Amino acid sequence: MARHPALPTAPLPDRRSTGFLLVFALAYVGGVIGYLPFLTLLLPIKVAAVAGAGRLGVLTMIVVAGALSASVANIAFGWLSDRSVARGGGRRKWLAGGLVATTLSYAAIGAATSSTGLILSVVTFQVAVNAVLAPLLAIMADEVPNAQKGLAGGLLAVASPVAAALAAALMATALLGEAARLAIVPLVVVACTMPLLLQRAQPVVPDDPPRPARAVLRRDLALAWIARLFVQIAGSALFVYFFYYLESVAPTVAPATIAARMGTVMIVAYSVPLPIAVFVGRLADRSGRTKPFLFAATVVAAAGLVGMAGAQSFTGGAVAFCVYSAGTSVFLALHASFAMQLLPDARHRGRDLGLLNLTNTLPGLLGPTLTWALATPTDFDGVMLVLAALTLCGGLVILFAQGAGEGGFGQRCQ
């Protein structure tokens, strides 16, 4: 098969070092820190301070506008990084530019004093943080062999607990004000991402897959897209409204106490799946079968959502959320590596991953809309049951994929 002209002619060994996988995982931790503490804790508090009683509506507007801008930005920066690779450059300069833009966007958020100003600053933030995430995930597709993508995907699960721990630490430190919290986050992002930026790009050189294989890959990629979309609708709704959900099941607990406890819950919820995701990722690499693990993860996640619907206290809601998080975290970590083996053309990896990223951003429109229609500030039961059904549907869809991760075309196209 002909080698792709934009990539180096000397292929790397079949495996990358553990050190490189850890450096990449650290950079991904930085990318998640870039948005998770802000969107889960700092933004709801900022919205409440700016909008008061109208906070639910303002937050929904922010989420919708942010999802639209993030969708366009991720595809655009993925495509731009593809063009850089095609011209003999690389993706790291786009990653560096995104870090600068993210830092500036945090300053703009801190300066916002009105609902309109906050909405515009968050839109800018979404564009900036996706300028980091789009080339970052394309680097994984370029530089991690398919035989190690399951392990690499499992290592990505470390990002959420670390980001949640930072969020909890920021909220628990009484001496820190809003400005300090908004300044610390981008500094940590830069520190985590710098080791990868300082490493020279070393892409794995792929053979072009035969035409029949490409057809199967495109079909499977579409199924993987649909499956992740269903699963992420629940994730998007909880990502934004979890604070308000906890208020609904614990109406006698002060909001400040809920915010502090929520940070601890998130640390537990995101830490428990980490060893599971790494272990399952290794099993998937060795067995060449990822779909059963993906389906099992959606069953666990759906069970957690049903538990959240039936919770009558902070503790009950928190425990059910941890069950949900265990399932969905494993699913998303494995799905990242699974989908990367389905990309049909090395020339368009950044763009195709941007299109796949719509399964992260479109739920930002669907999840809040669904929540707005089915939930009230004091009752989230109905929406949780609907989200459980959608999550289980996502697991069923993934079972129809035929190629990658099952000893099929995806593994032979490396």
Side-chain angles (χ1 to χ4, degrees):
M1 292 291 178
R3 299 286 184 185
H4 190 281
L7 298 174
T9 55
L12 287 175
D14 291 339
R15 303 184 69 81
R16 297 302 305 268
S17 69
T18 301
F20 174 79
L21 297 181
L22 293 175
V23 165
F24 180 83
L26 179 64
Y28 187 74
V29 167
V32 174
I33 287 174
Y35 66 84
L36 190 147
F38 173 68
L39 294 179
T40 55
L41 282 177
L42 302 181
L43 178 60
I45 293 172
K46 178 76 173 181
V47 170
V50 170
R55 64 188 184 277
L56 200 60
V58 172
L59 184 58
T60 300
M61 291 177 62
I62 287 175
V63 170
V64 171
L68 289 172
S69 57
S71 299
V72 175
N74 200 280
I75 296 172
F77 286 111
W79 174 75
L80 288 169
S81 69
D82 285 340
R83 289 180 62 84
S84 292
V85 172
R87 292 173 177 176
R91 305 186 193 272
R92 282 167 172 76
K93 66 180 181 180
W94 293 103
L95 178 57
L99 292 174
V100 174
T102 299
T103 301
L104 295 176
S105 71
Y106 268 92
I109 290 166
T113 57
S114 66
S115 296
T116 301
L118 185 57
I119 291 170
L120 292 175
S121 61
V122 173
V123 167
T124 302
F125 158 80
Q126 289 282 21
V127 172
V129 79
N130 277 279
V132 173
L133 296 172
L136 181 60
L137 287 175
I139 287 172
M140 177 177 167
D142 288 343
E143 301 184 27
V144 177
N146 281 354
Q148 290 179 286
K149 280 190 167 73
L151 175 59
L155 289 172
L156 299 188
V158 75
S160 292
V162 172
L166 177 62
L170 291 175
M171 295 306 301
T173 307
L175 296 177
L176 292 177
E178 175 187 290
R181 290 174 178 136
L182 292 175
I184 289 172
V185 172
L187 290 177
V188 175
V189 173
V190 172
C192 290
T193 313
M194 193 58 64
L196 181 65
L197 282 176
L198 296 177
Q199 286 200 359
R200 182 174 61 90
Q202 300 183 61
V204 175
V205 182
D207 288 325
D208 291 331
R211 188 176 299 275
R214 289 191 181 188
V216 174
L217 290 174
R218 290 190 182 97
R219 174 187 177 276
D220 285 356
L221 186 61
L223 290 172
W225 191 95
I226 294 169
R228 188 180 178 104
L229 178 68
F230 281 139
V231 172
Q232 283 287 72
I233 290 174
S236 176
L238 290 176
F239 194 74
V240 176
Y241 295 105
F242 186 46
F243 180 82
Y244 300 146
Y245 164 79
L246 290 175
E247 282 188 321
S248 74
V249 297
T252 61
V253 181
T257 302
I258 288 178
R261 292 180 181 177
M262 178 177 164
T264 303
V265 171
M266 291 173 63
I267 293 174
V268 174
Y270 294 139
S271 298
V272 169
L274 175 58
I276 300 172
V278 174
F279 176 71
V280 173
R282 289 282 291 175
L283 287 180
D285 285 340
R286 291 180 177 181
S287 68
R289 296 183 60 80
T290 307
K291 293 190 301 183
F293 300 110
L294 288 168
F295 177 71
T298 63
V299 173
V300 173
L305 290 166
V306 172
M308 291 180 72
Q312 300 295 321
S313 66
F314 182 95
T315 301
V319 170
F321 175 76
C322 289
V323 174
Y324 160 77
S325 181
T328 195
S329 296
V330 171
F331 176 89
L332 294 176
L334 291 181
H335 189 280
S337 60
F338 182 78
M340 284 180 186
Q341 297 180 60
L342 300 172
L343 301 177
D345 193 333
R347 295 171 299 177
H348 303 301
R349 283 172 171 161
R351 181 204 65 189
D352 290 345
L353 286 172
L355 293 172
L356 185 66
N357 185 66
L358 291 175
T359 61
N360 297 326
T361 54
L362 286 181
L365 302 175
L366 301 174
T369 302
L370 195 62
T371 305
W372 181 267
L374 298 177
T376 71
T378 60
D379 185 4
F380 284 76
D381 294 353
V383 73
M384 291 300 166
L385 294 176
V386 172
L387 295 176
L390 290 173
T391 299
L392 194 56
C393 285
L396 291 172
V397 168
I398 205 72
L399 294 177
F400 289 93
Q402 298 176 2
E406 307 304 313
F409 292 125
Q411 292 187 337
R412 294 199 296 267
C413 289
Q414 182 179 309

